[in-house]
Amino acid sequence: MKTKLLYILVSSQTDIYLEQAYISISSVRHHMGRNVIVCLLTDTQTRVSMNGGRSHILELVDEVVSVDVGNGFSPLQRSRILKTSARNLVNGDYLFIDCDTIVLKPIEGIDNYPAEIAAVKDCHTGFSLNPYRQMCLNHCRRLVSDIPDIPTYYNSGVLLVKDTPFTREFYQKWHENWLKGRERGVNMDQPSFNMTNILMGHPVKELSGEWNCQYIHGIRFLNKAYILHYLCTNKLAKNDTASFLLRDESILMGLKTGYEIPQEIAKCFDDPFLGIPSLTHLHAGRSVGLFNTIEWKCFFSTYGTNYFKLYRYLGKMINKFRKFFKNETV
């Protein structure tokens, strides 16, 4: 595989971000062995903390790029500085992957994708049906007072980025827009990514949903996904930690004792449906958002009135979930 995989990590002993990255990179090695270069971009503070058990992550990566981002920034801000500067810190074409992910199959096919920069739609839908549309607009207005039309709003959790002068310019503008947003109270990187795309004439191309299957919103892509983005930091309700195995922080905290992947996690590398505790968690109303009106609109925006396609999809899902009925009372 020619395209390297890029992970960005800012972490300390007290959080679970390194453990997320450890699991995600382990899933890469499970499917692809050493046939892909994995690069870890981190800050000097995090690099120093990679001792003891935390040093095991270094055994999984091929390249570590450590950057001093200076003082006066929170861990979240240091992470965003690295993310919006990555193209100008790391050489070579890369597929950036957020840490709260699992790679589900070999991904060498991304080498042939004909785009300088590409991403998957946020929430797998057009911006008009995005359930976080108002929040996104509020963030964008802090960056640009007169917002132009936003036909597509991309998720920045998985990004294909070729190493070209244009993509380096894009990242420079993205970083500048993020700094502007930070001054105005927007620490998220996604609003500045999308505004940069708009202001530069929409150069970002669309990746199909399988490349960044955003859990909850992208369940329909789960049976053919390359990358599952389980969105550990995006909880919809108090009991939502139970909706997927790795959204439960106690599972990740438990990894700190020996950095051996438990079988219940390892099995998800081949079958992500095993990470769903029960069918109930997919149909528990707002706990996973499937009965949210906007979510249903998103669903039908994909399948519309094509009832045959809808029926076929539901049939596949029922077969996938049939195993969960065995020990449940209906």
Side-chain angles (χ1 to χ4, degrees):
M1 180 172 171
K2 298 177 181 178
T3 307
K4 66 175 64 174
L5 303 186
L6 175 65
Y7 288 84
I8 294 173
L9 179 64
V10 171
S11 175
S12 70
Q13 299 278 356
T14 59
D15 60 49
I16 44 83
Y17 299 120
L18 183 142
E19 287 69 33
Q20 288 179 347
Y22 185 82
I23 288 172
S24 186
I25 300 171
S26 295
S27 70
V28 172
R29 296 307 184 196
H30 172 75
H31 290 290
M32 302 192 68
R34 290 285 173 173
N35 293 324
V36 58
I37 295 173
V38 176
C39 176
L40 184 66
L41 174 60
T42 187
D43 66 324
T44 51
Q45 291 169 262
T46 301
R47 180 65 184 86
V48 169
S49 79
M50 292 179 188
N51 50 41
R54 288 167 64 84
S55 66
H56 285 297
I57 195 170
L58 300 176
E59 301 169 5
L60 295 176
V61 302
D62 303 288
E63 178 184 359
V64 178
V65 178
S66 180
V67 178
D68 184 358
V69 299
N71 299 319
F73 299 104
S74 69
L76 172 65
Q77 291 169 342
R78 297 202 309 270
S79 175
R80 299 303 183 260
I81 289 170
L82 293 177
K83 186 170 181 178
T84 60
S85 305
R87 178 66 286 168
N88 295 301
L89 297 173
V90 175
N91 294 322
D93 299 348
Y94 63 70
L95 183 70
F96 163 76
I97 305 177
D98 261 350
C99 292
D100 54 343
T101 56
I102 300 175
V103 173
L104 302 172
K105 62 179 71 170
I107 55 176
E108 63 270 6
I110 199 67
D111 281 345
N112 302 319
Y113 201 85
E116 286 186 88
I117 184 167
V120 175
K121 289 187 292 189
D122 190 47
C123 298
H124 297 280
T125 188
F127 189 54
S128 63
L129 291 174
N130 190 309
Y132 310 111
R133 184 175 184 274
Q134 193 55 54
M135 179 188 72
C136 297
L137 286 172
N138 291 340
H139 288 156
C140 290
R141 287 193 181 101
R142 297 186 192 182
L143 294 169
V144 179
S145 55
D146 185 17
I147 302 177
D149 182 44
I150 305 179
T152 304
Y153 195 83
Y154 291 103
N155 185 279
S156 57
V158 174
L159 299 172
L160 172 64
V161 187
K162 301 295 178 64
D163 192 348
T164 67
F166 176 78
T167 58
R168 289 178 177 265
E169 180 188 0
F170 183 97
Y171 266 70
Q172 182 60 41
K173 296 292 185 184
W174 182 12
H175 183 65
E176 292 170 1
N177 285 328
W178 179 82
L179 289 173
K180 183 189 299 183
R182 172 179 173 262
E183 293 174 357
R184 300 172 184 179
V186 183
N187 283 307
M188 294 175 65
D189 60 84
Q190 199 160 279
S192 51
F193 176 84
N194 281 281
M195 292 313 297
T196 302
N197 178 49
I198 291 169
L199 295 173
M200 292 188 73
H202 304 277
V204 178
K205 305 304 179 185
E206 184 180 339
L207 279 173
S208 58
E210 302 94 299
W211 289 102
N212 180 8
C213 176
Q214 299 151 57
Y215 190 67
I216 299 168
H217 309 292
I219 287 294
R220 64 183 178 272
F221 294 104
L222 191 53
N223 65 340
K224 56 182 178 179
Y226 291 100
I227 300 170
L228 169 62
H229 191 179
Y230 56 86
L231 304 168
C232 190
T233 56
N234 185 17
K235 307 287 176 57
L236 296 181
K238 290 181 180 179
N239 64 336
D240 192 41
T241 55
S243 66
F244 188 75
L245 179 67
L246 291 174
R247 289 168 73 93
D248 185 344
E249 292 183 8
S250 66
I251 298 288
L252 294 159
M253 290 296 291
L255 193 64
K256 291 178 179 289
T257 58
Y259 287 89
E260 293 185 8
I261 306 293
Q263 275 297 105
E264 61 179 338
I265 294 176
K267 289 179 179 179
C268 295
F269 295 171
D270 293 307
D271 187 354
F273 290 92
L274 295 178
I276 303 170
S278 71
L279 186 63
T280 303
H281 289 103
L282 279 180
H283 293 276
R286 293 189 60 82
S287 67
V288 293
L290 287 180
F291 287 126
N292 179 284
T293 302
I294 297 177
E295 287 298 321
W296 278 116
K297 288 182 179 178
C298 295
F299 184 90
F300 284 107
S301 71
T302 298
Y303 294 102
T305 57
N306 188 333
Y307 297 114
F308 173 75
K309 192 173 181 180
L310 177 60
Y311 176 80
R312 185 174 60 181
Y313 164 77
L314 291 175
K316 288 181 180 179
M317 295 300 289
I318 289 170
N319 287 332
K320 277 286 186 179
F321 293 133
R322 193 182 301 277
K323 68 185 75 171
F324 293 112
F325 280 101
K326 291 181 180 178
N327 298 315
E328 293 184 5
T329 301
V330 179

